[in-house]
Every structure is written in structure tokens, then in C-alpha cells.
Amino acid sequence: MQKNNSKAQPKIKTNFIGVRSRVSPTRKNGPIRPDECFFIRYRVDGKLVEEQVGWASAGITAKSAYEELCRLQKNIKKGIGPRTLKEERELNIAQEELRLKELRAEEIRVARDNISFPTIFKMYIEAGRVNKSPKVVKTQEGYAKRWLTPHLPTKPMKDITPEDLESLQVLMLEQKKSPQTAKHAIDLFRATWNWGKKRKLIQGDCPVGSMERVKVDNIKERWFTPEEIDRILVWLEVHDQATYRLVLLAAHTGARLGELAQITWDRVNLEEGVINFVHTKSNNPRSVPLSSEAKKMIHALKPGKPHEPLLLQSDGSPWYVMRNGILDTDTPLFFRKALAALKLNEGFEKLSKQRLTFHCLRHTAATTLLANGVDPRTVQELLGWSTMKMFERYAHVIKKKKKKAIDALESALQNKKGNAKIINFPDKFETVGAGK
């Protein structure tokens, strides 16, 4: 690379006014001829400016340098365009940056318009690892890998139609998957879409809203009665104390099995009489008051270290297991034995909506609370429901409550005040006073 020592040489005038040049002692224009650099001198706002135009080896001549000078002077005179070569370079840089920005924006637009489900799901699931349990993440990855990605491999999200999702739904049902499983897959697609739309990766409305969805009826038609829970506890108290404690706390808090399995001693405050569930399905912690029976049971336990499980199996192991790095829970063996011994599922073995399970303890808690007049919002907070949609499962209880309320209203209206009473007629009410 040739070193530029042109500063050591004096600048000389050329045949063009305002143009000077300097010969380089080292730089060559060809094999022999020294290279020559051209400069222009002019005034801007009364100040003398001198700028380098370029080298003869790059095609610059005194004449072309003079033409550049004339162009700049014309800009100065008219007050338009760049007035100096420096301003022009800065303007060119800004224009190039703008061009690149627009090009990048166009590339992003094209990429966004052509983004597929596998691409956006990968972003969605990675973002979800921050606030979702590993079990939920693994389940969603399973749905995407088994159903959504093979069915929607390359089609841009914006081009996916309700018919595409309906065909996936039909495929899953044809392969003997339950309506609930098909619903989960479609719900995952919608969650992915909404996540992408919120981040402006997708535009338009989600096609799930316009599709014909399979109807899911998984509402339990049977749950434990207080008498059945009492029978289970009596049986368990004799056969397995550890399961007895687990079932008692489940019945008295309405907590999920996974929540109970992960409760540690530092999450229990016996002085205030509350238990704090942190590892919840929705990842939203909640506090539940302890009943006197629950407090009595916990008081009888040998206290453990703050981060040790509150409830353990008879062999001292926790109620949860780790499978492929994912925390999981199984229905306690002695709970299943209690159901069998007491014949609580006899005749219901093949009727999933009427077969009693450990989770039915939670349904029983919800039903009992609502049936006893606890307002829905309080029930939601106690059981940790993320939305009020869960109340659809207990519409029968709310319906009975409304009927009971109307019966109470009717009874109140029919009570006498003095000797007055209300007599019902087909199309009017007549009040009969005491003096009539």
C-alpha cells in the first residue's frame, strides 16, 4: 500500500481559478508518473474553505475539480443543496443510511408476511420459559411437534385459514384423539398467534375466531359428598397416615395435587392461619386460610426445615417425581385403594365424567363453597382460577343458588305485615287490608 506524503509538497495553482494541486512524492499515477491531488478553494458565509476533490489516479482533473467548484458555488448562490463537499458527503451518508433502513424495513415486512408457525412458535416457547413451568413448556412443545408443525410446516401465518385449522381438528379426531386434546392444540395455535400479533410479527385477525370448533364436554357430573370424603379419611387414617394428611389438606383447601406436593414449611403460617401456594398452575401465588382441622393436622407434624416439603409419603419421599427433568405427580396409591375398598367408583369405571378422582376433591371444594353462598370472586381467589370461565363447570350450582334466592324472595314477599297479604292472580296482584 502506497503511503501518502503529499502534505510535504506545496500546493500550486492550476489554469482554473480556485483550483490548486499538489504532486505526491511517493504515490504514482501509472508505473512512472507521480500522482497529483486536486483541491478547490471558495468562500462559505464569508469564510475561506479549502477541500480535497481527489487524485488524478482516480480520474480527477483540474477541469473536473473546477466543475465541482462551480456546482457548489451555484448551490451557495441559490441556497439549495450541499454547499461544501463535506456537507455532500454527510448528506450521502445519511441518504445511504436511510436507504439501508428502508431496505431492512422491507426485509422485515417480507419476513413478517411470510413468517410460519414453526418459526414464530420457536420464539413464543423460548419467551415462555421465563414464566411457565417446565411441564407446561414440554406439553406445548409436544402439541406443536406432533400436530401443529406437521400440519402447518411452511404456510405463512397470515395465509392460514379457518379451514386449515378445521382440517387439523378433523385429523386429530380421526386419529382417536379426544375433543379436549384437539381443543388444546387449537388453543396453542391461538396463543402463539396472539403473542406474535402483540409483538407486531403478525397482522390481522386470528383464524381461530372464525372456525367451527369441536364441542368439548368435560364437565364433571359427579363429585364427592361430605360423607364420602369422611369415609375416605377414616379408611386412610387406618391404612396410610401420609395419604390421609394429603387428602385432608386437599379437601380443606381445594388445592391441586401438584400444589400440595410442593408446599414447603416456610409457606405455612400457623400464627396467621394461612398456607401460601407459590407453585401454582397459573404461576400466580395465592394464600388460603387454614381450617381448624387443617391446622390441627399440621400442628401434629414434626416440623421440618424451611425449604423441606410439608407433606411426605410414608417412606419419607416427596409426593412428586422428576421425569426427564420435569416435576410430575401421580395419584397416591392408597387414595386409589380407598376408592376401590369403599366401592365409590363401582359402576362408573368407564364413565369419565362420573368417575371420582383425586382432582374431584377440588371440584367438591368449589361446589361446596358456591352452594353455601360464597361469592364467585372469592371462590376464584381461593382456588386460583385465572379466569371466571371456570364457573361454567359449576353452572348447575349457581342455577340452584338462583332458584333458592328466588324462593327466598317469594317467601319474604308472602310474609304478612299486620294482616296484609299478597294474593296471586293470573294477571294482577290484589292487596287485602286488615279491615276488609
Side-chain angles (χ1 to χ4, degrees):
M1 184 175 184
Q2 294 176 327
K3 188 176 180 180
N4 182 5
N5 290 326
S6 59
K7 289 185 178 180
Q9 300 296 321
K11 296 174 185 174
I12 59 175
K13 294 182 179 180
T14 65
N15 294 331
F16 296 89
I17 299 174
V19 178
R20 300 200 300 170
S21 69
R22 173 187 288 151
V23 176
S24 173
T26 57
R27 181 168 173 153
K28 302 296 184 183
N29 181 12
I32 300 175
R33 187 177 179 181
D35 207 353
E36 188 176 10
C37 187
F38 295 93
F39 301 83
I40 54 176
R41 300 182 73 184
Y42 55 104
R43 290 189 177 275
V44 179
D45 298 331
K47 294 182 179 180
L48 183 64
V49 175
E50 184 172 52
E51 294 183 295
Q52 177 180 315
V53 179
W55 292 87
S57 58
I60 302 298
T61 64
K63 182 179 179 181
S64 64
Y66 181 71
E67 290 172 350
E68 281 290 286
L69 174 61
C70 293
R71 182 175 63 81
L72 293 172
Q73 289 176 330
K74 185 177 180 180
N75 288 350
I76 294 170
K77 185 176 181 180
K78 291 186 175 181
I80 57 173
R83 302 180 301 170
T84 65
L85 293 178
K86 181 182 178 181
E87 286 184 9
E88 188 169 57
R89 285 193 298 270
E90 291 173 347
L91 178 61
N92 289 338
I93 290 172
Q95 289 176 340
E96 178 63 12
E97 289 176 348
L98 178 61
R99 186 188 71 82
L100 292 174
K101 184 178 180 180
E102 291 175 346
L103 180 62
R104 179 57 181 159
E106 177 63 14
E107 290 174 349
I108 292 173
R109 186 193 66 77
V110 172
R112 182 189 63 202
D113 288 348
N114 292 283
I115 195 167
S116 63
F117 174 81
T119 299
I120 198 166
F121 176 76
K122 184 178 180 181
M123 293 186 283
Y124 165 78
I125 203 68
E126 287 303 318
R129 294 184 193 279
V130 177
N131 55 12
K132 291 180 181 177
S133 70
K135 185 176 181 179
V136 171
V137 170
K138 186 176 181 180
T139 299
Q140 291 185 332
E141 287 178 326
Y143 274 106
K145 182 179 180 180
R146 177 67 181 85
W147 300 107
L148 291 163
T149 296
H151 195 72
L152 307 166
T154 58
K155 195 171 188 178
M157 290 285 279
K158 67 180 180 64
D159 294 334
I160 293 175
T161 64
E163 291 74 21
D164 291 327
L165 300 176
E166 288 169 3
S167 66
L168 170 60
Q169 192 172 248
V170 169
L171 174 65
M172 295 180 72
L173 296 176
E174 287 177 347
Q175 295 192 20
K176 308 301 181 183
K177 297 301 175 183
S178 69
Q180 183 68 28
T181 300
K183 177 182 181 298
H184 286 327
I186 301 301
D187 286 345
L188 177 58
F189 175 87
R190 179 171 58 187
T192 305
W193 178 289
N194 291 339
W195 183 89
K197 184 174 182 180
K198 186 176 181 180
R199 288 153 183 80
K200 299 182 179 179
L201 298 171
I202 310 173
Q203 294 181 337
D205 296 325
C206 180
V208 172
S210 301
M211 68 177 288
E212 291 292 332
R213 301 197 63 177
V214 63
K215 295 187 182 298
V216 177
D217 182 9
N218 65 339
I219 298 176
K220 279 285 185 181
E221 295 177 350
R222 182 168 170 249
W223 48 94
F224 293 105
T225 64
E227 293 75 21
E228 287 171 334
I229 292 178
D230 187 58
R231 290 174 61 197
I232 291 172
L233 289 172
V234 169
W235 191 93
L236 288 173
E237 193 170 16
V238 174
H239 293 86
D240 189 70
Q241 284 283 321
T243 307
Y244 165 82
R245 290 189 288 269
L246 182 70
V247 172
L248 187 146
L249 197 56
H252 283 252
T253 61
R256 302 175 180 90
L257 176 56
E259 295 171 343
L260 293 166
Q262 296 182 77
I263 275 291
T264 51
W265 279 95
D266 58 336
R267 302 301 178 185
V268 179
N269 189 329
L270 290 176
E271 289 185 5
E272 295 185 8
V274 296
I275 186 168
N276 301 299
F277 294 103
V278 177
H279 303 286
T280 65
K281 184 177 180 180
S282 63
N283 282 328
N284 294 321
R286 70 180 189 278
S287 294
V288 178
L290 287 168
S291 66
S292 58
E293 279 292 309
K295 284 193 288 186
K296 180 180 177 182
M297 181 271 290
I298 296 174
H299 265 301
L301 292 174
K302 180 181 178 181
K305 294 179 181 180
H307 297 293
E308 289 182 344
L310 173 72
L311 301 175
L312 295 170
Q313 298 188 58
S314 297
D315 61 2
S317 62
W319 283 106
Y320 58 81
V321 294
M322 299 299 294
R323 295 191 176 98
N324 298 320
I326 305 298
L327 187 146
D328 201 1
T329 52
D330 293 322
T331 300
L333 173 62
F334 276 90
F335 181 79
R336 296 199 302 268
K337 287 185 176 182
L339 294 180
L342 300 173
K343 299 181 179 181
L344 294 180
N345 275 328
E346 194 171 71
F348 301 104
E349 291 84 357
K350 296 183 179 180
L351 302 175
S352 61
K353 294 200 292 183
Q354 298 184 32
R355 186 173 63 250
L356 294 173
T357 64
F358 191 95
H359 197 70
C360 288
L361 293 168
R362 181 171 169 82
H363 294 312
T364 301
T367 303
T368 304
L369 289 169
L370 291 168
N372 282 276
V374 179
D375 67 278
R377 182 64 66 183
T378 299
V379 176
Q380 180 187 16
E381 293 174 357
L382 287 172
L383 298 184
W385 291 334
S386 56
T387 68
M388 297 290 279
K389 185 178 177 64
M390 286 298 298
F391 283 102
E392 294 176 5
R393 294 174 177 262
Y394 306 98
H396 57 287
V397 180
I398 297 173
K399 185 177 180 180
K400 289 180 180 178
K401 278 184 59 185
K402 290 180 179 178
K403 178 64 169 62
K404 187 176 180 181
I406 292 300
D407 290 344
L409 175 63
E410 181 183 30
S411 177
L413 291 174
Q414 288 179 345
N415 284 337
K416 293 181 180 180
K417 283 190 176 181
N419 291 326
K421 63 179 180 178
I422 297 177
I423 302 175
N424 295 318
F425 285 89
D427 56 358
K428 67 178 182 178
F429 290 104
E430 179 180 342
T431 301
V432 180
K436 295 184 181 180

